[in-house]
Structures are given as structure tokens and as C-alpha cells.
Amino acid sequence: MTDLPPPTEPFQIDVALARVAAAVEPYPKAAMFALAELDYRTPFQQLVACMISIRTRDEESLPLSLRLFAAAADAAAVAALTPAQIDALIAPSTFHERKAQQIHAIAAHVAALPGGELPCDGDQMRSFSGVGPKCANLAMGIACDAPSISVDIHVHRVVNRWGYVSAGSPEQTMLALEKTLPARYRVAINALLVPFGKHICTGTAPRCSTCPLLDMCPRIGVTRHR
Ligand code: SF4
């Protein structure tokens, strides 16, 4: 590891995210955004796909979501499956057995609603077993165009290294970003920082020496880099 120069430019979120957007261009999109591009973008589909992705790499979870939706594309169809059938479709997603039960319960609830669609209601999404703020906000952001911020471990790590927030957990980072992040970036920040965190500002030894933000990033907490 070579010593890197300190930042010479002030950190500006507009500049940072524009540079991140260019840097992640060659990499695959985050799973939920890739699904939306494939037209799987209803609130129900986005919520279920996010549940399948929990603690599971995008490379694994994306094909599993596609497999489930090929068999059953909406709540009524998923509710018509047994939890065991859902389990067989979403394995080997982490905790697939428990997720299958939870997805079946959500599908049955949604299928019984008027119109059989999950409404754009973050509180209702968060009330389901197995759904936390990360998935509810992502589904609200992508499926409902709501200015919801979804913070996973990549978003949390990167914005804290930037010093844009100073927070000890993804939940605290989400609350801090809700106060500071301009509305126009609230959905985009997840789409940008998930691939950026996976491929450039990685958990161990981030690629600082070739990072396009090197001149403006204070690299808070980075002790080893490439
Ligand atoms: S890779 Fe290094 S320079 Fe780039 S954003 Fe992450 S910590 Fe900052």
C-alpha cells in the first residue's frame, strides 16, 4: 500500500455522485434495479425480490427472483403456491425456508386486498414479517417513485467514508441521509453506491489509488487500500 495524498477538493455530493455514475457504468446494476428494467417493478415484485436478496449476493438472488416470477408473477399466483413450492424456487437464497413462509403470508394478505395489489404504502410494507426499512424503502422508491432512501451495507460504508454522514449502523445512516441528501438522489443513491461499494469502494482494501473521488474523499476509517 502506498501513501495517498490528502483530498484537495471539498466534498460535494453532486460531483461525487456524477463521478460514481460514470465509474459504475461497466458493472451490473443492483438486483432490484435490474429487475425493474426487466419490467418486474410492481410493489409486490420489488418487495419479494428484495426479501429474496437479503444476505444473498445479487448474482444469486436475481435469477432466483426471476425463477419465482416465471412460476408466479403476482400475489394471487404466489399465494396459490405452497410455502414448500416457494422454498424450492428460491433456494439457495439465505434463510430460504423462513423467507418462503414470509413471502407466502404476504402474498396471501395482498391477494385478499381489493384489486389484489400491494399498495404504495411503506408502513404496510414494514408491518410484514421479514420486511425491514431497507426493502420497504427500496420497493417504495423503485415501484412507487417515492423519495425513499434504502441503505444497505455498501451505501452505509461509502457515505461514512466520505464523511457525508457519521453514523454507526445502516439504520442510523438512513436517518442521517434523510436529513441531508437532496430528494433527487434518494432512490438513485442505492443504485449508484451498491455497485460502487461492491467493485471500487470495497469493504476490505478499497481501490482508492484509482478511485475517481480520490481528490475529494477524506477516506474516513480506511486503514488499508489498493
Ligand atoms: S475508494 Fe477510497 S477514495 Fe474512493 S470513495 Fe472509497 S474511500 Fe474514498
Side-chain angles (χ1 to χ4, degrees):
M1 182 175 95
T2 54
D3 280 342
L4 293 171
T8 54
E9 301 290 328
F11 184 88
Q12 293 178 293
I13 194 70
D14 301 275
V15 177
L17 291 178
R19 291 185 192 178
V20 168
V24 300
E25 194 71 32
Y27 299 110
K29 288 194 163 48
M32 262 18 84
F33 293 89
L35 273 173
E37 285 199 349
L38 294 169
D39 236 14
Y40 296 101
R41 57 181 320 136
T42 69
F44 176 77
Q45 289 168 336
Q46 283 288 319
L47 193 68
V48 166
C50 188
M51 292 171 71
I52 294 169
S53 78
I54 293 171
R55 297 204 181 222
T56 305
R57 294 185 320 131
D58 279 2
E59 295 75 8
E60 285 179 297
S61 78
L62 182 57
L64 296 174
S65 295
L66 291 171
R67 188 162 74 177
L68 174 63
F69 296 145
D74 60 19
V78 174
L81 299 174
T82 65
Q85 287 173 315
I86 298 171
D87 184 32
L89 289 163
I90 68 169
S93 166
T94 307
F95 308 131
H96 52 85
E97 227 171 309
R98 190 194 317 159
K99 289 177 183 175
Q101 297 277 358
Q102 292 165 333
I103 289 168
H104 186 264
I106 293 171
H109 177 90
V110 172
L113 294 175
E117 293 288 346
L118 178 60
C120 286
D121 180 340
D123 289 338
Q124 182 170 65
M125 291 182 191
R126 278 186 290 276
S127 74
F128 294 135
S129 174
V131 177
K134 184 189 88 159
C135 283
N137 285 5
L138 202 51
M140 287 295 293
I142 297 175
C144 304
D145 286 330
S148 305
I149 303 172
S150 177
V151 176
D152 75 344
I153 196 66
H154 299 294
V155 177
H156 169 63
R157 179 177 65 249
V158 173
V159 294
N160 277 276
R161 282 178 175 168
W162 289 349
Y164 189 64
V165 302
S166 178
S169 69
E171 290 73 24
Q172 289 170 2
T173 290
M174 183 186 76
L175 295 174
L177 287 174
E178 281 174 353
K179 291 189 188 135
T180 53
L181 188 67
R184 62 187 176 280
Y185 297 133
R186 288 184 164 211
V187 178
I189 196 160
N190 185 281
L192 293 171
L193 295 194
V194 169
F196 188 68
K198 281 170 74 171
H199 299 286
I200 298 173
C201 193
T202 49
T204 311
R207 293 166 56 189
C208 299
S209 59
T210 54
C211 176
L213 278 69
L214 180 61
D215 65 355
M216 61 188 287
C217 175
R219 305 188 294 276
I220 292 170
V222 174
T223 55
R224 198 157 68 85
H225 63 79
R226 291 176 278 168

